[in-house]
Structure formats: C-alpha cells, structure tokens
Amino acid sequence: EMQLVESGGGLVQAGGSLKLSCAASGSTFDDYAVGWFRQAPGKEREGVSCITLSDGPTYYADSVKGRFVISTDNAKTTVYLQMNSLKPEDTGVYYCAADYLDTCSSTWFGGLLEHWGQGTQITVSS
C-alpha cells in the first residue's frame, strides 16, 4: 500500500522560501492526483495546491497563487511544493494527500482521499 512521507518543513523568516517534498513508497504517483493541504492552529484544514500526475491540470488556492509551485520528479515518486515569498499566515502543518485515478481541481480537496502523509510543520516568522 502506498505511504506518503513529507519533509522540508522548518522555520523561516517572512519573505523566505522552503521546498516541501512528498515521497511515495510502495507505489509511484502514476495515475494519481496529489495535493497539499495546510492547517493553522485553531483553523480548519485548507487545500493549497494539487497536481494530476498524468500531465493533467494543477490548481492553486488564491492565497498562494504566484508564490507556490507544485511539481513532480520524472520518476513520479515525489511531489514538491516550492514556497516562495512566505508570509506569517502560511504558518501551519502541511500535509500531502494522494488519490488514485483522480483529477486535480478546486473541488478535489473536499473529496475522500485515499492516502495521507503525517504532516510537516512550517513556521514563518515576521
């Protein structure tokens, strides 16, 4: 069974950059849609970005559009989230999720997603 492991979190100053990785084990991301969520303390989890690995669409929440870039490696075993121009409001635990034979869209984040990572903490100081 697929397992997801996030890495790359940490503490960064506002305006800085971080790159998160979501690595798949047990399978590749072929025919999956993979996305990133985040949850700030006291707030609901929100969808950040997703990608359809079969060269399909990507999606970015308005709050990160133009600052974050989602991508994958050629082997489709890792999905990255490059986060630039970070703001304090980007602070939270970031989770990756994957769903087989699915397509990334704005509504993807509300579906029942099969696989989840354990999360990685991002803290942006002002």
Side-chain angles (χ1 to χ4, degrees), residues 37-67:
F37 294 77
R38 66 186 181 190
Q39 187 163 21
K43 294 188 176 181
E44 291 188 358
R45 187 176 63 196
E46 64 169 334
V48 175
S49 180
C50 62
I51 183 169
T52 311
L53 274 290
S54 58
D55 294 326
T58 58
Y59 169 84
Y60 296 93
D62 287 344
S63 58
V64 306
K65 202 172 292 183
R67 300 188 296 123

Side-chain angles (χ1 to χ4, degrees), residues 12-17 85-88 123-126:
V12 64
Q13 288 188 331
S17 298
S85 302
L86 284 161
K87 304 175 181 180
T123 303
V124 184
S125 62
S126 57

